[in-house]
Amino acid sequence: MFFSNREDDVPLHELDNGNEPLLPSQRNSPRLYDYVLVADKVEDMEDQIFKKQDAFICELKQKDIKVTRIDHHAKVFFGICAPEEIFAKYKYLLKVSDACNWSGEQKCDLSVSLCTRDYFGEKVALYYLWLGWYTRMLIPAAVIGIVVFLYGLAFFNTSPLIHEVCDSDIIMCPRCDIGCSVWNLSDTCSYAKVSQLFDNEGTVAFAMFMAIWATLFLELWKRHRALYVSKWKVYDWCEEEEELILEIVNNPQCKPKEFRHSYLRSIVVLLLVTLVLVVIIGLTHALVICRVLTAILLSKSDWDFLRDHATTIAMLSGAVLHYITIQVMTRVNKIVAFKLCEFEKTRSFAATEKHFTVKMFTFQFFTLFSSLFYVAFFLGRINGYPGKYVRIAGEWRLEECHPSGCLTDLFIQMAVILVLKQTINNIFEFTVPWLKLCFKRTKAKTVSKKCGKCCRKACREEEGNFDPCDPCKLRNWLENYDLSEVNAFSLFNEFLEMVLQFSFTTIFVAAFPLAPLLALINNIFEIRLDAIKMVSLERRLVPKKTNDIGVWTRILEAVGVMAVIANGLVIGISSDFIPRLVYRYHYGPCATSNSTSLDCMTGYINNTLATAFLSNPEVRKDFEYLLKSGYNITSCSYKDYRSDEDQSLTSQFWLILALRFAFVILFEHVVVMCKFIAAWFIPDNPIRVKNERLEDKLKRLQKELHEANAIYSSKCTEV
């Protein structure tokens, strides 16, 4: 394994405002070591591991690379310092390839992004640039989400729908087969109030706004990115040329690895990915069964509180269980994605990273959202009705929605997952590396005692221009080695976390208008925790050039399209927005009479309920246990648009269904049109960037023409 030496790799600069340096400064000391290789100590010289280590070190020395070996207990450290000639060749090839202009001598000014770029490279700098832009763009979304929430809160106590539920004496049908009794609709008064907060007219406008916001965020990000990559002189950077330059510098006689494609491997990978997705969806079905069984068990409890709130507690426990499943499947998904990438045999590491990103995000997306899709679009719609309930294995009834609507169930599911995921992840992401570092630092103290004060004395007398003794070098290397390990996919984990949060913030935002606010609060801490972790708790990431966030841009665009579809379906199918409009303008008191003394939504709750009579043999069979328990009832109500006589679907159901689909189609077309207009109206590159690039190209061509004329003139003089 190896890690980049934090202090000696690249000169860093302090801020000019007299404050503490943002990153460690080594202004006066020369570049001592670029990397430190660490290996297990092998005493047997005939061992194959020892021979491989020795051959590798010999190959480095043949290329005039300085190698310093220091043994320490069971480990051996190799300090690697490449000659300046290698860096000169790299800079020259970058210049002549026109992939980018070398700007390594650029001073670090007050801009944090430039300091981050100088120390960690463009790839990490672009992550923080994107995260900062995403966080700033969340501010208007969070403000409007709060306004929508306050809009629902303003009608919290005056809504006729809430009063109709709270003052109702309607007897509702049992929610389960055994242990559940009939209940009064007024028992769910609190639930109806919560539903009003997140299922109102404001959520429709907010969903449209967030769909357009996602497009504006991406388009404005492209402009923001173009401004900085142009300033960093990597606008025309090419990944393939960078790869070829590194290979040529290492071996001038190298041959590029050719592109290959196998349809057989692609088909096998596609089938395996499909199999993994089927397993993930199967876990969602298992969660549904767990929720059903939990509700049944709680309804049999001797504690009245558990019996009365069995459905709500089952829903909360299902959300927590879903979170645990997410944590387990995250590790499983990562292993499976790696194995699939190995099977594909991609051409380069960059291609492997791209394929891994797509697969891992797809697996994680289905892991996180499969349960939410069930709650949003299937819960309470496939459970049947009294006399013909749908049962799992012919025994357990499926869950039902609350009479106030299914959107509250989706809100609770999202709130639990989002809050738990962000809070617990941030705690573990920061505390685990910190605790590991505190534990390992005790070993470093024994090494520092051996060195004494010679290093600090030399620093005072020679201003840092010295070659430390071996114990001092080892102490510095151990301090870096004890930090948490990083790899090429460490930054991927940060991106994945934020892009999944972006998905939560946009896809089901109609059910949870406060999601942007929670995301904003989380990101304010996330930026600082990530910075502290990368600078102080983790080994330094290998600096890499890039001019974009890569395939994540395509993923964000796909999430934006899914947000339009999902929010349209949530409003059109999951919420009661369409049934309320139909009742207001077709079945309510304002539509059927000229009376103005009643609110137009008066009687809406009763209109959404159907009645099941126990005189029906099929209904009597489902509720036989009620009669055996001594309940003397002749009928009960349930949420559905069915006839009281034969339980057939009414004309109102078909009218609402048609309008639901019409709204979804209209909503998606209008929002998609607005997205296209926004994308067309906002150019990807600012005019300033275009003009600066045009001027840079002109200067480069003029310089090349001047050099060509000089060469031509010298040849004519020789003749």
Side-chain angles (χ1 to χ4, degrees), residues 254-274:
C254 69
K255 293 182 179 180
K257 190 175 181 180
E258 297 180 349
F259 290 95
R260 294 180 180 179
H261 178 72
S262 172
Y263 286 101
L264 179 60
R265 288 184 182 274
S266 299
I267 293 173
V268 173
V269 170
L270 182 61
L271 292 176
L272 292 176
V273 169
T274 305

Side-chain angles (χ1 to χ4, degrees), residues 3 44 51-52 64 166 228 246 288 298 303 337 359 417 466 484 522 531 543 545 565 593 627 631 636 687:
F3 57 88
D44 186 5
K51 291 181 179 180
K52 289 182 179 180
D64 296 329
C166 296
Y228 276 85
L246 293 176
V288 173
L298 291 177
W303 193 9
K359 291 180 181 63
I417 294 174
F466 66 97
S484 296
N522 173 81
K545 281 188 176 296
I565 299 173
S593 65
L627 301 177
Y631 286 94
C636 60
I687 297 298

Side-chain angles (χ1 to χ4, degrees), residues 4-5 11 72 133 137 166 385 455 483 491 503 711:
S4 178
N5 195 17
H72 178 69
W133 181 254
M137 287 292 291
C166 296
Y385 54 93
C455 182
L483 298 175
L491 192 62
S503 303
I711 295 174

Side-chain angles (χ1 to χ4, degrees), residues 16 106 125 130 138 141 243 299 302 343 358 480 493 551 634 660:
D16 296 330
Q106 180 178 354
W130 175 83
L138 279 173
E243 178 186 338
S299 63
D302 296 333
F343 177 78
V358 174
N480 289 284
N493 297 328
V551 72
T634 58
R660 284 184 187 273

